[in-house]
Amino acid sequence: MCGIFFSCSEVKPVFPTDSILDLLRRRGPDSCNVVRRTVQVAKPRFNAVHDSPKRAIHLVFVSTVLSLRGDIIVRQPLVDENSGSLLCWNGEGWKLKDEPVVGNDAEAIFKALINHARSAPDDSTEAREMSLLTLHNTLSSVSGPFSFIFYDSIFQRVLYGRDQMGRRSLLCCNNSSQELIISSVCNGPLSTSWTEVGADGIRVLNLAWNSPLNRSIDQPSASREHNISSIEVFRWPAGEPANAMTGHWGQANMVLVRAGNSESDNGIYLPRLNRDLPDPNFSGLRLDSDAVCDLYGRLQTSLSLRVKGIPVRPAAEIASTRLAILFSGGLDCTVLARLVHDILPLDHSIDLLNVAFENPRIIAAAHNKALKDMKDISVNPSPYSSCPDRITGLSSHEELTKTCPGRLWRFITVDVPYSETLAHRSQIISLIYPHDTEMDLSIACALYFAARGSGNIHDITYESCQKYTTPARTLLSGLGADELFGGYSRHAIAFERRGHNGLLDELELDFRRLGKRNLGRDDRVISHWGKEARYPYLDENVVGWVLNRPVHEKCSFGQLAWLDSKAREEDCSLQPDKHILRLLAWKLGMRAVAKERKRAIQFGARTAKMVTGKSTGTQQLTQEQ
């Protein structure tokens, strides 16, 4: 995990503000480095006799590093001394061209990019285009979450973007034709010019006037100054194919969109959602169904990549806990915990981070009800112990310890007083920006305090507590399971209203907007504490397999969700949402977890609607609220 920043200006070098630099350092506490470049670019010829003088373009690159790959801290930006090209890498490249990456992934990917950039035979248009294609193919073959900024000094261009699911944050500030800023984080609502970089492909900023992009801009000769905000988008292979290069003008920038090379080798292609309807003779999933077994194997592989080889944090004890799980006790995260048990050695303790909030609205409602029922109001129960996710978390923790003995499962109760929520509110609003709704804030609050990992250790035997902050810098999250397997209430509603076609439409919409709606926001919030979230359900091999499966092998709306003949006799059925995942939990011995109902994080942790009023999840935030 890293914080990355890039600026390009025709006026002067633009460095990150103190507030943005502080946010970048919090993401990457192990290293911080700044590289500055001044690129001389020839101006266009206005006069057929005299050449126009060159002009300077100022580039600034900043990288901060949270070192979680390899044996040593690898400082960024990575610089190629021969060509001057450099890379700011924020991500985890688990595989490159379908081969596991050994050691530091940033170094492996930089080496591949440099080799392709150097391979161009000359600086002709054809060589430039072929070089861009090979760079695109290399990046599209990376398996894992990432955002990046790559300066190709050979052809004087900057490439930047996010992986095709958008699992890492990258923001853009482009409020003039003479300046462009790209960053993992921004200074929030203080500047309204920030937008999220799309996860649809690689952006290419051509600095040289004689690039194919800039030659294609048809403008009157009197105004033919190179525009820094001219950006070309080279789509990921999985993007909607474009038949030809097309352009459109935005408020301050021109974007040209091209299709990627669909024939490239080793590229990662996420298939379209399988829209096959259930066979009338389909009898439903069983514990021994092939799909359940396949999902188990793919999740094991995904988790192995993400939990093996996590280094001990610098200056920490050898026995220090390396892995924590964002743990509500629900189906998604508990299945991950159960699977991790089969992968890691028993002497690796695992921290389960369970967050609960003091919610004044709910406390007031409970107080008023007690008065109405004439109950003793002098006894004030804990506002945390009654939180749904705390109750579920303790129950699932107990089931885990029984099903997976021999390991220390450390249950961390992260209790957040209302006063602390208010104290951090403006910081959280700044981190989630440009997202700015009440729902964004309520979800982000839960993730923000859970990722901090400061609370008390709950001892299930002695019911005692001691203060504790997890040393783990790698966090597992169950995000993505609801979108893939039909876990939201809106999926059930869509099925009730329009049958399987309505359900499929909703599933497709939810998955396609994950990067835009959730992942960038969540990355900024979690990484603020120098932690990295890893999403096993969003592994490319898992996602591709799930998208290829028919809907009735993922959820069982409209079917009898029986386990097997024995369960039928015992009248024991499971909920239809995420049915395949429930079967897997049952098969792994987590029977109580398999029956758990879905509960949104903002309601389980009680971050939603902290005060009485008519606010809705889509209502826009204000700092004063």
Side-chain angles (χ1 to χ4, degrees):
M1 171 62 68
C2 302
I4 60 178
F5 173 95
F6 160 72
S7 69
C8 176
S9 173
E10 296 185 11
V11 180
K12 63 180 181 180
V14 177
F15 295 91
T17 63
D18 289 344
S19 60
I20 290 179
L21 183 59
D22 178 65
L23 292 172
L24 291 169
R25 287 180 180 274
R26 294 187 70 97
R27 291 176 63 93
D30 298 335
S31 169
C32 179
N33 195 28
V34 180
V35 175
R36 176 180 166 183
R37 291 276 192 272
T38 300
V39 181
Q40 299 294 329
V41 179
K43 286 187 175 182
R45 294 183 178 181
F46 293 100
N47 189 300
V49 178
H50 302 289
D51 288 342
S52 297
K54 290 189 175 183
R55 65 200 172 97
I57 296 182
H58 306 280
L59 310 179
V60 174
F61 303 86
V62 181
S63 282
T64 64
V65 174
L66 174 70
S67 183
L68 295 173
R69 298 290 293 276
D71 299 327
I72 60 173
I73 296 174
V74 177
R75 290 172 59 85
Q76 292 193 37
L78 297 172
V79 179
D80 178 53
E81 299 299 337
N82 294 323
S83 66
S85 297
L86 61 83
L87 174 67
C88 300
W89 178 258
N90 170 31
E92 297 290 356
W94 305 117
K95 295 181 181 179
L96 179 62
K97 298 185 182 298
D98 209 31
E99 293 294 327
V101 174
V102 178
N104 186 272
D105 58 318
E107 290 182 315
I109 291 163
F110 185 49
K111 180 180 178 181
L113 293 175
I114 289 298
N115 287 341
H116 287 308
R118 287 176 180 168
S119 64
D122 50 49
D123 60 354
S124 65
T125 298
E126 292 76 13
R128 173 184 290 272
E129 291 290 285
M130 184 56 64
S131 172
L132 180 59
L133 180 61
T134 56
L135 292 173
H136 174 273
N137 289 347
T138 297
L139 289 162
S140 68
S141 72
V142 177
S143 175
F146 64 86
S147 60
F148 75 98
I149 301 162
F150 175 65
Y151 172 51
D152 178 3
S153 65
I154 297 174
F155 288 109
Q156 294 186 319
R157 61 191 173 194
V158 178
L159 284 67
Y160 64 94
R162 303 161 71 195
D163 71 82
Q164 57 186 308
M165 282 185 265
R167 289 165 289 185
R168 290 289 180 264
S169 169
L170 198 63
L171 303 172
C172 172
C173 182
N174 187 3
N175 53 11
S176 81
S177 63
Q178 293 184 309
E179 183 177 292
L180 173 70
I181 299 176
I182 306 295
S183 179
S184 299
V185 288
C186 69
N187 51 0
L190 296 177
S191 172
T192 58
S193 301
W194 291 95
T195 58
E196 277 195 316
V197 174
D200 52 346
I202 297 171
R203 266 79 179 154
V204 183
L205 170 65
N206 290 285
L207 304 176
W209 176 263
N210 63 351
S211 73
L213 170 66
N214 295 323
R215 288 203 312 273
S216 70
I217 299 177
D218 184 15
Q219 294 178 308
S221 59
S223 62
R224 285 183 63 198
E225 282 293 328
H226 174 65
N227 189 342
I228 271 182
S229 57
S230 301
I231 308 295
E232 184 180 15
V233 181
F234 210 82
R235 289 194 188 275
W236 295 124
E240 184 71 26
N243 293 324
M245 184 183 286
T246 58
H248 65 272
W249 285 95
Q251 292 182 344
N253 66 312
M254 180 177 181
V255 177
L256 292 176
V257 180
R258 269 195 289 179
N261 179 19
S262 60
E263 303 299 325
S264 61
D265 293 334
N266 303 115
I268 295 171
Y269 311 100
L270 295 181
R272 294 187 181 278
L273 180 69
N274 184 331
R275 298 187 65 93
D276 291 348
L277 299 180
D279 188 313
N281 297 320
F282 180 69
S283 59
L285 285 173
R286 299 288 186 269
L287 288 173
D288 59 352
S289 294
D290 289 343
V292 177
C293 297
D294 286 350
L295 177 60
Y296 170 78
R298 290 175 185 274
L299 285 176
Q300 283 284 86
T301 301
S302 171
L303 278 162
S304 293
L305 288 171
R306 287 161 174 79
V307 303
K308 286 183 175 179
I310 299 173
V312 177
R313 66 185 301 167
E317 297 178 4
I318 294 177
S320 177
T321 298
R322 308 180 194 187
L323 179 69
I325 301 175
L326 300 176
F327 192 76
S328 67
L331 175 67
D332 311 337
C333 60
T334 311
V335 165
L336 295 181
R338 173 62 186 85
L339 290 170
V340 167
H341 178 70
D342 294 337
I343 298 172
L344 291 181
L346 286 178
D347 60 353
H348 283 222
S349 60
I350 297 174
D351 289 346
L352 307 175
L353 306 177
N354 181 273
V355 65
F357 285 75
E358 179 187 22
N359 187 313
R361 179 184 61 84
I362 291 177
I363 293 173
H367 179 80
N368 292 336
K369 186 178 186 304
L371 286 174
K372 183 178 180 180
D373 297 342
M374 293 185 295
K375 293 182 178 179
D376 183 5
I377 61 172
S378 63
V379 179
N380 294 318
S382 166
Y384 312 114
S385 61
S386 60
C387 278
D389 277 2
R390 178 59 49 78
I391 296 169
T392 305
L394 288 170
S395 173
S396 296
H397 176 230
E398 183 177 3
E399 190 171 26
L400 263 178
T401 57
K402 291 178 180 177
T403 308
C404 308
R407 183 185 304 280
L408 174 57
W409 298 96
R410 195 180 286 110
F411 188 87
I412 311 304
T413 58
V414 180
D415 297 337
V416 186
Y418 183 57
S419 59
E420 193 168 12
T421 302
L422 291 179
H424 288 260
R425 186 178 188 276
S426 61
Q427 177 66 78
I428 299 171
I429 290 176
S430 180
L431 287 170
I432 67 176
Y433 191 81
H435 296 269
D436 60 354
T437 68
E438 287 286 349
M439 181 178 291
D440 288 315
L441 178 61
S442 61
I443 293 172
C445 276
L447 294 174
Y448 177 87
F449 286 104
R452 184 175 66 171
S454 294
N456 298 294
I457 299 174
H458 178 83
D459 192 304
I460 198 170
T461 304
Y462 302 103
E463 297 185 356
S464 61
C465 296
Q466 65 182 83
K467 290 190 179 298
Y468 177 83
T469 298
T470 181
R473 305 202 294 179
T474 301
L475 310 180
L476 289 186
S477 167
L479 190 145
D482 289 310
E483 289 79 3
L484 290 172
F485 301 111
Y488 291 119
S489 59
R490 60 178 173 268
H491 296 141
I493 293 171
F495 176 79
E496 290 173 4
R497 292 177 176 174
R498 296 192 295 122
H500 282 101
N501 283 320
L503 171 61
L504 287 164
D505 288 343
E506 199 69 31
L507 286 169
E508 189 164 27
L509 174 64
D510 273 342
F511 178 73
R512 289 190 178 278
R513 65 186 179 186
L514 248 180
K516 182 178 182 180
R517 191 178 191 185
N518 300 68
L519 291 165
R521 174 200 68 200
D522 296 353
D523 176 67
R524 292 189 292 278
V525 169
I526 293 171
S527 300
H528 182 69
W529 299 110
K531 310 288 178 67
E532 176 178 276
R534 297 181 178 178
Y535 307 108
Y537 292 111
L538 294 181
D539 177 86
E540 286 83 354
N541 286 329
V542 174
V543 170
W545 179 85
V546 175
L547 293 177
N548 265 324
R549 307 311 301 172
V551 65
H552 51 277
E553 290 190 5
K554 294 177 279 191
C555 47
S556 59
F557 296 108
Q559 305 171 42
L560 289 175
W562 300 108
L563 292 170
D564 51 30
S565 59
K566 182 178 180 181
R568 183 187 293 269
E569 293 171 2
E570 296 174 352
D571 194 25
C572 177
S573 62
L574 298 178
Q575 296 296 314
D577 59 294
K578 298 185 286 193
H579 188 207
I580 188 173
L581 206 56
R582 295 182 183 280
L583 287 171
L584 179 57
W586 189 281
K587 191 169 185 174
L588 293 170
M590 308 295 293
R591 299 193 171 191
V593 169
K595 297 178 183 179
E596 275 296 332
R597 292 179 177 272
K598 164 66 183 175
R599 188 184 301 112
I601 186 173
Q602 64 269 34
F603 300 112
R606 289 185 171 170
T607 57
K609 296 185 177 180
M610 288 274 192
V611 295
T612 303
K614 295 183 179 180
S615 65
T616 62
T618 57
Q619 182 173 319
Q620 195 169 22
L621 292 165
T622 63
Q623 286 284 348
E624 291 76 24
Q625 284 179 318

